[in-house]
Amino acid sequence: GAVVSQHPSWVICKSGTSVKIECRSLDFQATTMFWYRQFPKQSLMLMATSNEGSKATYEQGVEKDKFLINHASLTLSTLTVTSAHPEDSSFYICSAEDRYSNQPQHFGDGTRLSIL
Amino acid sequence: QKEVEQDPGPLSVPEGAIVSLNCTYSNSAFQYFMWYRQYSRKGPELLMYTYSSGNKEDGRFTAQVDKSSKYISLFIRDSQPSDSATYLCAMRGMDTGRRALTFGSGTRLQVQP
């Protein structure tokens, strides 16, 4: 089946640093990628949707200057958490799909971000 | 009221039992329905994917969609301890401009050996 690779799986860093998370589709063209945030024992919360070659569309309440998304190719999207603070600590998950097919989204394995 | 309602559980069953997981929804525009399984500290894994109403079977898993009642179900036969996870229902409409999924809150399932 379709594979989405997310890296890194876990990152710990100091407050004030910026962290980049990569999401790659390994065997299909990801025309659309989604970024989610998940708190413990809660469901996924959509942060933003990005179409390859276009600016990302952010959900209400998500700071676009805080969470920078780049989707420059059909196989790679990145989420950069800028000037991260402890309240940004969370589990970040990406998903990808080919919007020209009717196949469902496939998810990466998530990135656990801990800001000290 | 949430667009998608799902009992959070936890649901505890003995090994070998038949498990029934359900979601109700309010948006009649939803056409695509999915079930994902999520293990702790992992991303969701797609289990079943159906379009519109009807049943779909894959091994021990059966998905049912009843659009008239706005109700979807996932059945797991001969449940195994390895099925212990959180199960998320997800859905979306036909709108090609809005392809984001709407998720239920997830049901935690525990299969006791």
PDB file of all heavy atoms in Angstrom, chain A residues 99-112:
ATOM      1  N   ARG A  99      -4.848  13.976  -5.182  1.00  0.00           N
ATOM      2  CA  ARG A  99      -6.223  14.452  -5.288  1.00  0.00           C
ATOM      3  C   ARG A  99      -6.868  14.121  -6.620  1.00  0.00           C
ATOM      4  O   ARG A  99      -8.073  14.309  -6.788  1.00  0.00           O
ATOM      5  CB  ARG A  99      -6.298  15.966  -5.025  1.00  0.00           C
ATOM      6  CG  ARG A  99      -5.708  16.842  -6.093  1.00  0.00           C
ATOM      7  CD  ARG A  99      -6.061  18.306  -5.823  1.00  0.00           C
ATOM      8  NE  ARG A  99      -5.546  19.197  -6.833  1.00  0.00           N
ATOM      9  CZ  ARG A  99      -4.380  19.839  -6.740  1.00  0.00           C
ATOM     10  NH1 ARG A  99      -3.636  19.682  -5.666  1.00  0.00           N
ATOM     11  NH2 ARG A  99      -3.972  20.622  -7.702  1.00  0.00           N
ATOM     12  N   TYR A 100      -6.086  13.624  -7.577  1.00  0.00           N
ATOM     13  CA  TYR A 100      -6.669  13.237  -8.864  1.00  0.00           C
ATOM     14  C   TYR A 100      -7.102  11.776  -8.873  1.00  0.00           C
ATOM     15  O   TYR A 100      -7.605  11.282  -9.870  1.00  0.00           O
ATOM     16  CB  TYR A 100      -5.688  13.529  -9.992  1.00  0.00           C
ATOM     17  CG  TYR A 100      -5.363  15.002 -10.095  1.00  0.00           C
ATOM     18  CD1 TYR A 100      -4.116  15.493  -9.736  1.00  0.00           C
ATOM     19  CD2 TYR A 100      -6.336  15.911 -10.497  1.00  0.00           C
ATOM     20  CE1 TYR A 100      -3.837  16.844  -9.799  1.00  0.00           C
ATOM     21  CE2 TYR A 100      -6.071  17.272 -10.566  1.00  0.00           C
ATOM     22  CZ  TYR A 100      -4.817  17.729 -10.209  1.00  0.00           C
ATOM     23  OH  TYR A 100      -4.548  19.068 -10.263  1.00  0.00           O
ATOM     24  N   SER A 101      -6.887  11.109  -7.769  1.00  0.00           N
ATOM     25  CA  SER A 101      -7.418   9.758  -7.621  1.00  0.00           C
ATOM     26  C   SER A 101      -8.447   9.804  -6.509  1.00  0.00           C
ATOM     27  O   SER A 101      -8.555  10.797  -5.794  1.00  0.00           O
ATOM     28  CB  SER A 101      -6.295   8.779  -7.245  1.00  0.00           C
ATOM     29  OG  SER A 101      -5.999   8.886  -5.872  1.00  0.00           O
ATOM     30  N   ASN A 102      -9.204   8.767  -6.341  1.00  0.00           N
ATOM     31  CA  ASN A 102     -10.146   8.705  -5.233  1.00  0.00           C
ATOM     32  C   ASN A 102      -9.618   7.866  -4.093  1.00  0.00           C
ATOM     33  O   ASN A 102     -10.367   7.388  -3.259  1.00  0.00           O
ATOM     34  CB  ASN A 102     -11.501   8.169  -5.710  1.00  0.00           C
ATOM     35  CG  ASN A 102     -12.339   9.260  -6.329  1.00  0.00           C
ATOM     36  OD1 ASN A 102     -12.297  10.396  -5.882  1.00  0.00           O
ATOM     37  ND2 ASN A 102     -13.073   8.925  -7.374  1.00  0.00           N
ATOM     38  N   GLN A 103      -8.322   7.685  -4.074  1.00  0.00           N
ATOM     39  CA  GLN A 103      -7.720   6.922  -2.994  1.00  0.00           C
ATOM     40  C   GLN A 103      -7.687   7.764  -1.722  1.00  0.00           C
ATOM     41  O   GLN A 103      -7.590   8.982  -1.771  1.00  0.00           O
ATOM     42  CB  GLN A 103      -6.294   6.491  -3.389  1.00  0.00           C
ATOM     43  CG  GLN A 103      -6.294   5.516  -4.550  1.00  0.00           C
ATOM     44  CD  GLN A 103      -7.154   4.310  -4.268  1.00  0.00           C
ATOM     45  OE1 GLN A 103      -6.967   3.617  -3.264  1.00  0.00           O
ATOM     46  NE2 GLN A 103      -8.126   4.052  -5.123  1.00  0.00           N
ATOM     47  N   PRO A 104      -7.773   7.108  -0.576  1.00  0.00           N
ATOM     48  CA  PRO A 104      -7.825   7.869   0.676  1.00  0.00           C
ATOM     49  C   PRO A 104      -6.458   8.392   1.076  1.00  0.00           C
ATOM     50  O   PRO A 104      -5.432   7.999   0.524  1.00  0.00           O
ATOM     51  CB  PRO A 104      -8.303   6.811   1.678  1.00  0.00           C
ATOM     52  CG  PRO A 104      -7.782   5.529   1.120  1.00  0.00           C
ATOM     53  CD  PRO A 104      -7.871   5.674  -0.380  1.00  0.00           C
ATOM     54  N   GLN A 105      -6.460   9.248   2.063  1.00  0.00           N
ATOM     55  CA  GLN A 105      -5.219   9.765   2.612  1.00  0.00           C
ATOM     56  C   GLN A 105      -4.473   8.654   3.359  1.00  0.00           C
ATOM     57  O   GLN A 105      -5.081   7.786   3.990  1.00  0.00           O
ATOM     58  CB  GLN A 105      -5.510  10.876   3.622  1.00  0.00           C
ATOM     59  CG  GLN A 105      -6.107  12.114   3.034  1.00  0.00           C
ATOM     60  CD  GLN A 105      -6.434  13.138   4.089  1.00  0.00           C
ATOM     61  OE1 GLN A 105      -5.791  13.209   5.147  1.00  0.00           O
ATOM     62  NE2 GLN A 105      -7.449  13.948   3.821  1.00  0.00           N
ATOM     63  N   HIS A 106      -3.160   8.743   3.275  1.00  0.00           N
ATOM     64  CA  HIS A 106      -2.301   7.859   4.065  1.00  0.00           C
ATOM     65  C   HIS A 106      -1.443   8.715   4.974  1.00  0.00           C
ATOM     66  O   HIS A 106      -1.008   9.796   4.589  1.00  0.00           O
ATOM     67  CB  HIS A 106      -1.438   6.989   3.156  1.00  0.00           C
ATOM     68  CG  HIS A 106      -2.241   5.968   2.427  1.00  0.00           C
ATOM     69  ND1 HIS A 106      -2.491   4.714   2.945  1.00  0.00           N
ATOM     70  CD2 HIS A 106      -2.885   6.022   1.241  1.00  0.00           C
ATOM     71  CE1 HIS A 106      -3.242   4.030   2.090  1.00  0.00           C
ATOM     72  NE2 HIS A 106      -3.496   4.803   1.058  1.00  0.00           N
ATOM     73  N   PHE A 107      -1.218   8.207   6.177  1.00  0.00           N
ATOM     74  CA  PHE A 107      -0.572   8.994   7.208  1.00  0.00           C
ATOM     75  C   PHE A 107       0.869   8.577   7.457  1.00  0.00           C
ATOM     76  O   PHE A 107       1.229   7.399   7.311  1.00  0.00           O
ATOM     77  CB  PHE A 107      -1.357   8.857   8.520  1.00  0.00           C
ATOM     78  CG  PHE A 107      -2.653   9.618   8.528  1.00  0.00           C
ATOM     79  CD1 PHE A 107      -3.775   9.107   7.901  1.00  0.00           C
ATOM     80  CD2 PHE A 107      -2.744  10.863   9.138  1.00  0.00           C
ATOM     81  CE1 PHE A 107      -4.969   9.820   7.887  1.00  0.00           C
ATOM     82  CE2 PHE A 107      -3.930  11.588   9.131  1.00  0.00           C
ATOM     83  CZ  PHE A 107      -5.041  11.049   8.506  1.00  0.00           C
ATOM     84  N   GLY A 108       1.658   9.556   7.861  1.00  0.00           N
ATOM     85  CA  GLY A 108       2.983   9.270   8.381  1.00  0.00           C
ATOM     86  C   GLY A 108       2.870   8.757   9.807  1.00  0.00           C
ATOM     87  O   GLY A 108       1.777   8.722  10.387  1.00  0.00           O
ATOM     88  N   ASP A 109       4.004   8.388  10.385  1.00  0.00           N
ATOM     89  CA  ASP A 109       4.011   7.827  11.730  1.00  0.00           C
ATOM     90  C   ASP A 109       4.110   8.889  12.821  1.00  0.00           C
ATOM     91  O   ASP A 109       4.197   8.543  13.998  1.00  0.00           O
ATOM     92  CB  ASP A 109       5.141   6.815  11.885  1.00  0.00           C
ATOM     93  CG  ASP A 109       4.647   5.389  11.772  1.00  0.00           C
ATOM     94  OD1 ASP A 109       3.403   5.197  11.824  1.00  0.00           O
ATOM     95  OD2 ASP A 109       5.470   4.471  11.638  1.00  0.00           O
ATOM     96  N   GLY A 110       4.118  10.143  12.435  1.00  0.00           N
ATOM     97  CA  GLY A 110       4.075  11.205  13.415  1.00  0.00           C
ATOM     98  C   GLY A 110       5.437  11.611  13.941  1.00  0.00           C
ATOM     99  O   GLY A 110       6.413  10.853  13.866  1.00  0.00           O
ATOM    100  N   THR A 111       5.484  12.814  14.474  1.00  0.00           N
ATOM    101  CA  THR A 111       6.697  13.354  15.103  1.00  0.00           C
ATOM    102  C   THR A 111       6.329  13.850  16.488  1.00  0.00           C
ATOM    103  O   THR A 111       5.440  14.696  16.638  1.00  0.00           O
ATOM    104  CB  THR A 111       7.269  14.534  14.287  1.00  0.00           C
ATOM    105  OG1 THR A 111       7.671  14.074  13.005  1.00  0.00           O
ATOM    106  CG2 THR A 111       8.457  15.168  15.010  1.00  0.00           C
ATOM    107  N   ARG A 112       7.013  13.301  17.471  1.00  0.00           N
ATOM    108  CA  ARG A 112       6.791  13.759  18.847  1.00  0.00           C
ATOM    109  C   ARG A 112       7.745  14.913  19.112  1.00  0.00           C
ATOM    110  O   ARG A 112       8.961  14.726  19.099  1.00  0.00           O
ATOM    111  CB  ARG A 112       7.026  12.613  19.816  1.00  0.00           C
ATOM    112  CG  ARG A 112       6.751  12.974  21.274  1.00  0.00           C
ATOM    113  CD  ARG A 112       6.560  11.717  22.115  1.00  0.00           C
ATOM    114  NE  ARG A 112       5.490  10.880  21.585  1.00  0.00           N
ATOM    115  CZ  ARG A 112       4.195  11.069  21.787  1.00  0.00           C
ATOM    116  NH1 ARG A 112       3.787  12.103  22.512  1.00  0.00           N
ATOM    117  NH2 ARG A 112       3.313  10.241  21.272  1.00  0.00           N
TER     118      ARG A 112
END
